[in-house]
Amino acid sequence: MRLRGRCLAAVLCLLCACVPPPPKDAPAATDRSARRIARDVYLIPGRFVAGEQPDGNSVLLRGRTGWIVIDTGRHPVHAEAIEAFVGGRGAPLVALVNTHWHLDHVSGNVPLRAAHPRAEVHASTQVITERNGFLARYRTQLEALLRERVDDPQVPAWRDEVARIDGARAFEPTHPVDTDGMRTLDGRPLRFGLQREAVSGGDVWVFDPGTRVLVAGDLVTLPVPLLDTACPGAWAEGLASLEGVPFEVLVPGHGEPMGRAGFERYRTAFRGLLACAAGPGSDAACTDAWLADVGDLVPAAQHAHARQVLQGYYLPQQLRGRPVRPAYCPP
């Protein structure tokens, strides 16, 4: 492949979680049906498997008159699952919260806001910056691929990505999150936190004091940390700040919910991954150490995918290579 082709193909790792062809032992498709994780709190799990672009997890909380949805996924089937849940309970969608601007967490805003035009949107304003920055560059690169590789089997997926970016105004907040603090959404008090130098330049987390559920967005991701637009050192500091939140259940941006012990294991594994990447250990050895440290947070069926993602992109490119440093990362 020519140099330009390699560079453009590499871009598809960004916001796509670097998904190579599925291994033979790839796990079955994620069940998108909602499940209760606390009183009036439901999880619609995202999908993150080899060979496909991911959807992030969605969390739905019951308000006084309707539903609050945290993150809306990427693919239409995920937004349809949210709409089916809300519609099946006879109450409207009254508020959307986006933990950050990555397409696998915000793309469902487009159909959901069309169906519920009065719904408020709470999110960081970083999405406005990236609509004219990262997402605009990503769109240009996708358009180049569509011109140059017209017979590629990924053409439909690339066109879908362009359409998602073109709908980016639906990602912009009606109620910007620009500081930590309490907000009451449809009668439900929630604590919002904002990390500006971690994963996306504007990572929002949401804590529900009534149920002690913390929705962490991509501050926590499984089966591996997703480092596409991250500041690794600042991310580690952001994880430390979550320790003071009195949660009992943490919902990650990708992967299964965990308790406090699981979160501490994740933090330890994350620090270990950064330390290993900074040392002489091989990519394979660092991946082995990550999987050993996280333990059963990453089931054995997901190990092959985790290895592909870490060794195929994140370790050699984002931790050991020379990645483009986002402007919001500290010096």
Side-chain angles (χ1 to χ4, degrees), residues 107-268:
S107 296
N109 284 29
V110 177
L112 291 171
R113 292 189 73 180
H116 304 271
R118 299 180 65 181
E120 302 173 347
V121 181
H122 298 255
S124 163
T125 57
Q126 188 68 26
V127 67
I128 300 172
T129 301
E130 302 305 338
R131 182 167 63 84
N132 299 310
F134 187 100
L135 291 175
R137 294 191 298 273
Y138 181 36
R139 189 188 191 285
T140 298
Q141 291 156 340
L142 287 165
E143 289 282 8
L145 284 170
L146 288 168
R147 288 192 305 270
E148 296 177 8
R149 296 165 63 175
V150 295
D151 296 325
D152 195 295
Q154 296 183 83
V155 162
W158 296 341
R159 286 178 177 155
D160 288 343
E161 286 286 86
V162 170
R164 292 179 188 114
I165 296 168
D166 287 348
R169 288 196 179 275
F171 312 157
E172 296 182 9
T174 61
H175 294 70
V177 178
D178 51 17
T179 188
D180 297 357
M182 294 296 298
R183 297 186 178 206
T184 300
L185 276 59
D186 196 37
R188 187 161 190 148
L190 300 170
R191 178 181 167 190
F192 280 62
L194 177 65
Q195 301 273 342
R196 294 193 180 277
E197 300 173 346
V199 180
S200 71
D203 298 289
V204 175
W205 53 260
V206 183
F207 176 62
D208 179 28
T211 61
R212 294 186 179 270
V213 171
L214 171 63
V215 184
D218 275 8
L219 290 169
V220 179
T221 59
L222 293 168
V224 300
L226 305 182
L227 292 145
D228 301 309
T229 61
C231 314
W235 187 350
E237 295 174 7
L239 286 174
S241 72
L242 293 182
E243 189 175 17
V245 181
F247 68 87
E248 294 178 359
V249 176
L250 182 150
V251 181
H254 299 267
E256 287 294 310
M258 64 188 71
R260 296 198 71 89
F263 173 66
E264 288 305 319
R265 196 185 320 154
Y266 184 91
R267 281 188 63 204
T268 298

